[in-house]
Amino acid sequence: MKKVVLPAYNKNIVRALRSLRVEECGLPQPSEDEVLIKVHAAPCNPSDIAFLMGGYNIVKSLPTIPGFEGSGIVVEAGEGAEDLIDRKVSFFIQEENCGSWSEYVISHKKKVVVLNEKMDMDQAACFAINPFTARGLLDIAVLRENHAVIQNAAGGQVAAFVRQMAGDMGIEVIDIVRKQESLERLKKEGAKHVLLENDSRFEEKLKELVHKLNARLAFDAVGGALAGQIFSAMPLDAELVSYGGLSTKHISGVDSMDLIFNDKIISGFNLPEWREQIDDDFFEEISVEMQSLFISEKYQTKIQGSIGFDDIASGLTDYLRNMSEGKMLVKAKVKS
Ligand SMILES: NC(=O)c1ccc[n+]([C@@H]2O[C@H](COP(=O)([O-])OP(=O)(O)OC[C@H]3O[C@@H](n4cnc5c(N)ncnc54)[C@H](OP(=O)(O)O)[C@@H]3O)[C@@H](O)[C@H]2O)c1
């Protein structure tokens, strides 16, 4: 089989991408409770970019195969997982010897989401992480009985799912983007409250909206000074949930008084931990419900294109230039 190999982590993402090479190796064999998946497609997510740079919480021995997520068909199974043979699956794997930018991948049976046969396999490639992340984040809003949330990196795919699901739940969303074109696109798509983070009146406009909507919960994917500005704009008893560090900067500008006297908190969200916390039946219920929304095309991940293993460096450079354009799918071969 063919696989994409990262020889060394590199803080310079251009160099990390250029260092990727395609290698051939034998097929791995599934052990007990494991499946061998013939990969259809795998996205490049911000976590993959952080991983290539050696800046993610998962660090594997080198050389390694990147890619944490994908879709495919189970072609072989170890003892205890035979019922999954021939099933379409989405998967989310972070184990040492696996990566989804490969023709085949081994996964524990518990790490796969078994799919409805009608699921589109490109959409399925981006199903195991982002829609569930949006759902997990909004569970916090439901638990806290918040009727308005703030989110940054709002042109991205997690944010798009948050916006859509929040709309269905009657929760208002204040969206923050960094580019004028993202602001215009979101408004065209029907987003009600969109702010540009580098607007000269950004903080003032944010405070006005936060006050008007009584927004006491924020989902932060950026960190840095922006996270601090959002935190400061929120009233007593507010929570900022950090779930991404796109700026690679530490959260800054937090007033200790807000933490000590105003009951405001900063917390973190990580999908694998959320998955551990909920029971399997509830996860299955959410999965089935969301798949039917994908099949009816109410929910869709925006995909900007597909690239073959041989074009990975240039294709992912395009994704990095405009992440809001949608996911770039990595495939062994792209049909012309
Ligand atoms: N904690 C978890 O369990 C979990 C799970 C899933 C995702 N995440 C995190 O969620 C975040 C979003 O992921 P995604 O898949 O939705 O990403 P995506 O679809 O690839 O989009 C990324 C978005 O972030 C914006 N962005 C990138 N760098 C930025 C910066 N420095 N400042 C402000 N905006 C920036 C991009 O805007 P441009 O178009 O302007 O580039 C784009 O709109 C990532 O940090 C990811 O790691 C976390």
Side-chain angles (χ1 to χ4, degrees):
M1 68 165 196
K2 283 190 172 157
K3 59 183 180 180
V4 174
V5 173
L6 174 75
Y9 298 108
N10 196 321
K11 282 189 179 149
N12 179 322
I13 187 60
V14 177
R15 289 198 185 137
L17 289 174
R18 282 196 192 140
S19 75
L20 294 172
R21 53 180 194 243
V22 183
E23 286 183 5
E24 299 244 4
C25 66
L27 274 188
Q29 288 305 306
S31 305
E32 190 180 339
D33 289 334
E34 287 181 345
V35 290
L36 176 70
I37 301 164
K38 184 171 189 335
V39 178
H40 167 80
C44 174
N45 289 314
S47 52
D48 297 310
I49 296 296
F51 175 76
L52 297 176
M53 295 167 73
Y56 195 53
N57 72 323
I58 307 286
V59 179
K60 299 183 189 177
S61 331
L62 295 162
T64 187
I65 313 171
F68 295 125
E69 181 184 30
S71 64
I73 292 185
V74 175
V75 290
E76 257 186 76
E79 200 185 328
E82 296 93 338
D83 55 328
L84 291 177
I85 288 182
D86 290 336
R87 296 301 306 264
K88 282 180 165 185
V89 291
S90 293
F91 58 89
F92 177 22
I93 42 158
Q94 296 185 316
E95 280 68 20
E96 177 70 24
N97 299 317
C98 298
S100 61
W101 299 359
S102 179
E103 270 187 290
Y104 291 84
V105 79
I106 293 278
S107 171
H108 191 278
K109 65 177 182 183
K110 284 207 144 190
K111 299 277 168 79
V112 303
V113 181
V114 182
L115 298 174
N116 185 312
E117 284 302 302
K118 291 185 190 146
M119 272 291 273
D120 173 85
M121 292 305 272
D122 279 2
Q123 287 295 320
C126 315
F127 181 67
I129 300 183
N130 282 352
F132 291 97
T133 300
R135 175 60 198 251
L137 289 170
L138 282 165
D139 270 4
I140 304 171
V142 172
L143 268 175
R144 289 177 46 97
E145 299 182 5
N146 288 125
H147 302 293
V149 299
I150 307 163
Q151 62 174 352
N152 52 21
Q157 299 308 301
V158 171
F161 285 117
V162 164
R163 207 160 32 250
Q164 199 159 10
M165 291 176 194
D168 292 344
M169 293 162 139
I171 296 173
E172 297 261 18
V173 180
I174 301 171
D175 287 301
I176 301 169
V177 294
R178 66 173 173 175
K179 290 181 188 153
Q180 180 67 28
E181 65 249 40
S182 299
L183 177 136
E184 281 158 20
R185 177 175 60 82
L186 259 58
K187 284 198 162 164
K188 230 183 246 167
E189 289 171 5
K192 284 206 295 204
H193 317 287
V194 194
L195 297 176
L196 194 60
E197 64 179 68
N198 46 26
D199 181 328
S200 57
R201 291 183 51 235
F202 168 69
E203 286 193 77
E204 193 188 321
K205 288 181 181 174
L206 178 62
K207 276 184 192 150
E208 272 171 27
L209 269 177
V210 162
H211 181 72
K212 187 171 147 206
L213 302 174
N214 189 22
R216 289 167 189 262
L217 181 62
F219 304 141
D220 169 47
V222 176
L226 179 61
Q229 286 173 322
I230 296 170
F231 188 69
S232 301
M234 291 194 291
L236 293 177
D237 190 32
E239 179 169 357
L240 179 119
V241 182
S242 166
Y243 75 101
L246 285 162
S247 70
T248 67
K249 304 234 163 52
H250 292 176
I251 291 177
S252 60
V254 172
D255 183 348
S256 326
M257 300 301 138
D258 267 346
L259 303 169
I260 303 167
F261 300 115
N262 292 337
D263 289 332
K264 289 165 78 168
I265 49 176
I266 299 180
S267 60
F269 175 90
N270 187 26
L271 180 67
E273 280 162 33
W274 177 78
R275 174 65 189 92
E276 288 286 308
Q277 282 160 17
I278 61 172
D279 67 40
D280 290 350
D281 289 346
F282 182 50
F283 180 82
E284 187 55 25
E285 196 183 302
I286 297 171
S287 169
V288 168
E289 183 191 311
M290 288 203 296
Q291 284 183 53
S292 67
L293 292 164
F294 272 86
I295 292 165
S296 69
E297 295 184 18
K298 179 176 176 186
Y299 286 2
Q300 292 285 278
T301 293
K302 193 170 164 190
I303 294 170
Q304 57 175 294
S306 297
I307 40 166
F309 287 174
D310 292 328
D311 300 319
I312 199 154
S314 62
L316 296 188
T317 307
D318 286 347
Y319 159 70
L320 283 177
R321 267 194 214 111
N322 199 346
M323 299 165 98
S324 299
E325 273 304 301
K327 294 295 170 192
M328 191 64 89
L329 296 185
V330 176
K331 295 181 177 176
K333 237 193 172 118
V334 175
K335 286 181 200 130
S336 47

